Amino acid sequence: MQPQSRLKNSLLYGLIFLSGSAGLIYQVVWHKYLAILLGAQARATVIVLAIFLGGISVGYFAFGRWSRYKRWNLFLVYSLVELGLGLWAFLFPYLFRGAMPLTASLYHYLGVTNLAIDVLMSVCLIGFPTFLMGGTLPLLTQVLAPDFKNASRTHAMIYGINTVGACLGCL
């Protein structure tokens, strides 16, 4: 491997580590916000985890399927996905402030214990960014794997580094 290519891959793996850290930081912050919105810590935990894992799974599937057949600059697509995540994280407090009165109105008309309201508002607030998060690993696998034969090894490396970053993000 050329030194320039090695440096590029090292930088990408560093970004993957930071992406994993940011992803878990987002999850913790969103959980804290939604616990305020939903009014129950346990209920917020269940909803956030379900939407977080569901969104990541759907995003992984959709981006993985799409990236196999598209010959776009997948690194550019990955960059746009990460940019979208950062933008959503930046805007999240403002989106949350807008969701508070809407949620209160829905509770007033449909009842405070209505689980559908809690899930709907949570999906609106964190569904899209978790979908984007799910797209990062398949996109990077397509970018970094030199060929199909090495795709599993590359994917495992990306997943492992991202997971280590996520562990740091939890701390």
Side-chain angles (χ1 to χ4, degrees):
M1 184 183 292
Q2 300 290 345
Q4 185 179 16
S5 180
R6 202 172 301 160
L7 176 63
K8 180 179 122 186
N9 283 356
S10 295
L11 288 172
L12 280 174
Y13 284 120
L15 290 173
I16 293 164
F17 177 86
L18 292 174
S19 176
S21 295
L24 262 287
I25 291 169
Y26 294 153
Q27 182 182 1
V28 170
V29 169
W30 293 337
H31 174 261
K32 297 295 183 187
Y33 270 95
L34 290 175
I36 294 168
L37 183 70
L38 306 179
Q41 186 75 13
R43 191 173 192 160
T45 300
V46 169
I47 292 171
V48 169
L49 284 176
I51 294 169
F52 196 85
L53 295 175
I56 286 175
S57 298
V58 171
Y60 187 97
F61 176 78
F63 278 92
R65 191 170 187 95
W66 176 82
S67 67
R68 281 191 304 186
Y69 302 111
K70 299 298 179 194
R71 293 296 155 226
W72 296 12
N73 181 341
L74 294 179
F75 182 71
L76 177 62
V77 174
Y78 167 76
S79 300
L80 292 173
V81 166
E82 288 288 1
L83 183 65
L85 282 166
L87 183 61
W88 192 275
F90 177 77
L91 294 174
F92 186 82
Y94 304 104
L95 296 170
F96 180 78
R97 276 191 225 135
M100 288 291 285
L102 178 59
T103 304
S105 295
L106 290 171
Y107 283 157
H108 176 74
Y109 291 110
L110 300 173
V112 175
T113 60
N114 194 317
L115 179 63
I117 296 169
D118 295 345
V119 172
L120 173 68
M121 295 310 296
S122 299
V123 167
C124 289
L125 288 169
I126 66 171
F128 180 68
T130 58
F131 173 79
L132 291 178
M133 283 179 189
T136 59
L137 275 89
L139 287 171
L140 283 172
T141 300
Q142 293 288 335
V143 168
L144 294 173
D147 53 39
F148 184 73
K149 179 181 168 191
N150 292 308
S152 291
R153 182 181 183 286
T154 302
H155 185 76
M157 179 74 97
I158 293 168
Y159 188 79
I161 291 171
N162 189 263
T163 302
V164 171
C167 291
L168 178 68
C170 287
L171 295 176

